[in-house]
Amino acid sequence: MGRIIGIDLGTTNSVAACMEGREPRIIINEEGGRLTPSVVGFSRKRERFVGDVAKRQMLIYPESTIYGVKRLIGRRYGEAQAELSRLAFRVAPTGGDEIGIEVDGHVYSPQQIASFILSKIRKSAEDFLGEPVTEAIVTVPAYFNDRQRQATKDAGRIAGLDVLRIINEPTAAALAYLTQRKKSATIAVYDFGGGTFDISILDVDEDVAEVRATCGNTHLGGSDIDNRVVDWLLGEFKKANGVDVSGDKMVRQRLLDAAERAKMELSTALETEIHLPFLTADEAGPRHLQTVLTRSTFEYLVDDLLTATIDECEKALNQAKCAPEDVDEVILVGGSSRIPKIQAMVKALFQRPLNKQFNPDEVVAIGAAIQAGVLGGEVSSVTLLDVTNFTLGIEVEGRRFAPLIPKNSTVPVVRSQLVSTVVDSQRVVKIHVLQGEGKWVKDNVSLGEFELTNVEPAPRGVPRIEVTFTIDTDGIVNVNAQDIRTGAQNSIVIHSPTSMTQDQVDESRRQIAAMDAGSDEDAEGRRLREEVEQQLYGLESFLRAHKLRLKKKDIFDGEQALKRGRMALVKKAKAESLRELQAYLTRFHGHISEKISAGTGVAVGVVED
């Protein structure tokens, strides 16, 4: 087995790490950085870029640059419509209410876009380690549901990675803490990232990390804070210029970039100046944006978002059955946790100093690398006991949801429940498996269903059917139903309602390979055309410079060569024809040059036109 890496697939940035002996180490990407922007860009010439290069083109081609895909992965189009309206790139529903991301006529799934990011991370890891990388641990927000987790795993499969384990981001951070602090403690991991928020309460011992409770919001993150600042900037611009530019995607992208920079600057400064020249133009001429955002105004704009994270912290404390003073340390994770107001609010809640020994951007990847080390045998003294993030249960009479395994149950776990028939002489019982916290079926996520047949005929309510849920350490759900009187039974193993089959993964890879092949072919053609243009320019300059020294036939042949080359460019000749043309032009230019040097092509006197 090769080296297993740990990957923090983030909304804003992604990070990878690996174990070097018993020490985790951040993997440096191809650009020499520790963070890889989770951005995928497509050029006008259909080339694909990932990371820093893609992020740089966001302001120029916002409709061809995909960001924040983590908030889309594993979600339905209908449930994400509210936030989709803010995106600069085009998103439309595909079959089954899935999300489709359209770029230049091609439609990508969020899994495919995420796979591009994972592919870049994989290549960076292979360059960094000097060996092939095929296995990984990937982290997700603790409050990701089963559909979102499996979609993340599918993205890894498309990228050619065997995702051995999906673990929660706060739990990964706790693993990093565990390797640094060899003492018993109750800790809180406050994880405020670019797109999601999580809070987990854990008990850690010398070599054990046990999650007691986790809460969060997968639609609350730094990007929501940025959007509040963007809305404020739009208002300021309208007040100053009387122009509403909220519908201009390029303008919005420039404002989003400015908002993100302002947010970061206000972590250390009390105010920041935002200056965007030539933001737009109309009949009156160019319009500029210049304003000052103070920290107090910023905190006022996002106060309810910050308060929402504290509300989740209080929920987690209640579910863990502990008071704030029972928490020994608070670990801050995620870039948004650097906001001074956040730190003040968290400190006020827990009445504890904040642990700042870890880099908030890297600690999750380090924890993932430690988990990779456990699976790879490099780390043997760490035990992780995680919990279920949502309640699991079945549908019962009246379209109601009957919980079987409560949220925050330690995995692995087994639970059983007796159910019965709802009509007389019923021979078939449908077992509908659900995940969520709602009282009604419609308010929860369907994980799958199966039928138990050959139930012994009897009056309603008489048969006794035992439904057993089993969740293993990988989060795989196994549901079994058995008629106690007859012994008839059936079961289902639930990987995910949206899990891609191997055929679907292979087809996705083929589609991407075909697009890449087309892009590579286009890139090769463009390169050859540029080289031919340079050759034609060089030949034309040579003929002009030596016109008086050449015979009429040489000049005629030269003009024919130029004509042939220009026609090939106009007709957009294929790569093979362009290569033949290159060879011909090289030979002709060399032949004419030799004649000039030898004097054999030189005419006496002036050459007539």
Side-chain angles (χ1 to χ4, degrees):
M1 183 171 66
R3 195 80 68 91
I4 307 172
I5 64 172
I7 301 175
D8 173 14
L9 179 62
T11 305
T12 307
N13 295 297
S14 295
V15 191
C18 63
M19 295 300 295
E20 291 284 354
R22 292 182 59 83
E23 292 297 321
R25 185 179 180 189
I26 296 295
I27 291 172
I28 306 302
N29 63 25
E30 296 166 289
E31 291 76 30
R34 298 166 74 88
L35 306 180
T36 298
S38 301
V39 182
V40 178
F42 299 86
S43 74
R44 298 300 188 195
K45 299 176 180 178
R46 290 181 59 193
E47 294 172 302
R48 187 175 70 234
F49 311 105
V50 180
D52 292 296
V53 177
K55 188 173 182 180
R56 284 196 292 271
Q57 79 156 31
M58 285 177 70
L59 299 181
I60 306 172
Y61 305 123
E63 294 182 349
S64 302
T65 309
I66 316 304
Y67 55 91
V69 72
K70 182 175 177 179
R71 294 185 70 160
L72 305 181
I73 197 165
R75 297 181 67 192
R76 304 292 191 191
Y77 181 83
E79 66 188 24
Q81 266 188 302
E83 56 193 279
L84 293 179
S85 61
R86 284 183 172 272
L87 300 175
F89 51 89
R90 178 176 168 76
V91 181
T94 60
D97 199 36
E98 301 296 327
I99 291 175
I101 300 168
E102 185 179 331
V103 183
D104 295 331
H106 294 285
V107 178
Y108 302 89
S109 67
Q111 291 95 314
Q112 288 177 317
I113 297 296
S115 76
F116 298 150
I117 301 168
L118 292 173
S119 292
K120 177 177 175 61
I121 291 173
R122 176 189 177 186
K123 185 178 186 306
S124 296
E126 290 178 335
D127 293 344
F128 184 80
L129 298 173
E131 61 182 89
V133 173
T134 59
E135 298 174 315
I137 304 296
V138 180
T139 65
V140 297
Y143 233 55
F144 255 26
N145 61 32
D146 194 63
R147 182 188 298 140
Q148 292 167 304
R149 291 168 187 272
Q150 188 58 54
T152 303
K153 200 167 186 177
D154 289 337
R157 293 165 65 197
I158 296 171
L161 287 169
D162 182 8
V163 181
L164 302 179
R165 186 76 55 88
I166 293 284
I167 64 172
N168 295 335
E169 291 165 2
T171 308
L175 283 177
Y177 173 91
L178 190 62
T179 60
Q180 296 292 322
R181 302 292 294 274
K182 297 295 185 180
K183 67 175 185 178
S184 299
T186 296
I187 65 171
V189 180
Y190 179 98
D191 184 354
F192 199 7
T196 61
F197 171 74
D198 289 310
I199 175 69
S200 291
I201 309 297
L202 305 95
D203 288 333
V204 296
D205 209 332
E206 185 174 343
D207 55 3
V208 177
E210 181 177 3
V211 181
R212 291 176 60 175
T214 184
C215 286
N217 187 334
T218 55
H219 316 308
L220 174 61
S223 57
D224 298 286
I225 291 174
D226 297 341
N227 282 323
R228 288 292 177 86
V229 178
V230 168
D231 291 341
W232 180 78
L233 290 173
L234 286 169
E236 292 296 295
F237 185 80
K238 188 174 182 179
K239 281 193 296 185
N241 297 275
V243 179
D244 182 3
V245 292
S246 59
D248 189 320
K249 291 184 177 181
M250 189 171 291
V251 167
R252 191 170 190 93
Q253 201 62 49
R254 289 186 66 188
L255 293 176
L256 195 61
D257 180 68
E260 185 180 13
R261 284 187 280 107
K263 176 184 67 177
M264 292 188 289
E265 289 171 8
L266 289 174
S267 292
T268 54
L270 293 178
E271 65 177 36
T272 180
E273 183 176 353
I274 300 173
H275 180 48
L276 295 175
F278 301 98
L279 186 65
T280 189
D282 54 21
E283 297 81 1
R287 305 275 188 166
H288 316 294
L289 171 65
Q290 185 160 4
T291 187
V292 173
L293 178 61
T294 64
R295 184 185 290 181
S296 59
T297 299
F298 170 75
E299 291 174 352
Y300 170 77
L301 293 173
V302 301
D303 181 69
D304 61 317
L305 300 177
L306 307 189
T307 301
T309 70
I310 300 302
D311 293 341
E312 294 295 332
C313 292
E314 292 173 343
K315 288 181 189 176
L317 287 168
N318 290 334
Q319 292 175 14
K321 296 180 173 57
C322 69
E325 56 268 22
D326 296 329
V327 175
D328 298 298
E329 286 192 76
V330 180
I331 300 173
L332 299 179
V333 179
S336 298
S337 69
R338 291 187 173 95
I339 297 173
K341 179 71 171 179
I342 279 289
Q343 296 187 5
M345 295 172 76
V346 174
K347 190 173 181 180
L349 173 64
F350 290 98
Q351 294 296 309
R352 291 287 184 276
L354 306 178
N355 186 326
K356 297 183 180 180
Q357 75 176 95
F358 299 102
N359 184 326
D361 296 319
E362 299 177 355
V363 63
V364 170
I366 288 173
I370 294 170
Q371 180 63 45
V374 171
L375 296 184
E378 298 164 281
V379 179
S380 57
S381 60
V382 175
T383 301
L384 172 63
L385 299 175
D386 216 331
V387 298
T388 58
N389 307 295
F390 293 92
T391 298
L392 290 165
I394 59 174
E395 177 183 348
V396 295
E397 187 178 9
R399 301 284 292 168
R400 290 178 293 114
F401 175 58
L404 268 72
I405 298 182
K407 173 187 173 183
N408 291 324
S409 298
T410 301
V411 293
V413 59
V414 179
R415 293 284 191 279
S416 296
Q417 175 72 46
L418 288 175
V419 299
S420 189
T421 55
V422 294
V423 298
D424 295 338
S425 302
Q426 185 176 336
R427 297 300 305 274
V428 177
V429 174
K430 184 179 76 171
I431 307 297
H432 185 192
V433 184
L434 300 154
Q435 178 185 61
E437 310 305 320
K439 293 181 179 180
W440 305 98
V441 168
K442 64 180 179 64
D443 299 324
N444 297 287
V445 176
S446 173
L447 299 186
E449 57 184 49
F450 65 98
E451 291 183 343
L452 177 64
T453 59
N454 297 322
V455 175
E456 186 175 12
R460 58 170 293 180
V462 172
R464 290 292 178 265
I465 299 166
E466 185 178 49
V467 179
T468 302
F469 272 63
T470 304
I471 306 177
D472 64 18
T473 53
D474 288 321
I476 302 300
V477 180
N478 186 307
V479 185
N480 181 79
Q482 180 177 18
D483 186 339
I484 294 177
R485 296 175 66 185
T486 67
Q489 63 178 332
N490 197 359
S491 63
I492 183 173
V493 177
I494 299 173
H495 294 276
S496 171
T498 58
S499 176
M500 298 174 70
T501 65
Q502 189 58 47
D503 287 344
Q504 290 172 321
V505 171
D506 292 340
E507 177 59 27
S508 185
R509 287 177 179 170
R510 281 194 293 270
Q511 290 174 1
I512 294 170
M515 293 174 190
D516 288 346
S519 297
D520 292 342
E521 186 176 329
D522 288 348
E524 174 69 3
R526 286 193 301 273
R527 182 185 65 79
L528 289 171
R529 282 191 288 274
E530 288 171 0
E531 290 178 358
V532 167
E533 284 179 359
Q534 291 174 359
Q535 281 185 287
L536 292 174
Y537 175 77
L539 178 58
E540 187 176 26
S541 298
F542 180 86
L543 292 173
R544 188 184 305 114
H546 297 91
K547 184 176 181 179
L548 298 180
R549 304 182 63 195
L550 291 171
K551 293 180 178 179
K552 285 185 177 181
K553 185 178 185 308
D554 294 326
I555 293 174
F556 176 79
D557 290 343
E559 290 175 345
Q560 290 300 110
L562 291 173
K563 183 178 179 181
R564 177 181 170 184
R566 290 180 182 126
M567 287 297 293
L569 294 178
V570 169
K571 293 182 178 180
K572 297 183 178 179
K574 293 184 178 180
E576 186 60 36
S577 298
L578 290 172
R579 279 190 282 268
E580 292 176 1
L581 178 61
Q582 275 189 305
Y584 165 75
L585 291 173
T586 300
R587 288 195 305 270
F588 180 82
H589 200 151
H591 176 67
I592 291 293
S593 297
E594 288 177 2
K595 279 191 171 187
I596 291 293
S597 299
T600 58
V602 178
V604 179
V606 178
V607 177
E608 297 179 4
D609 290 333

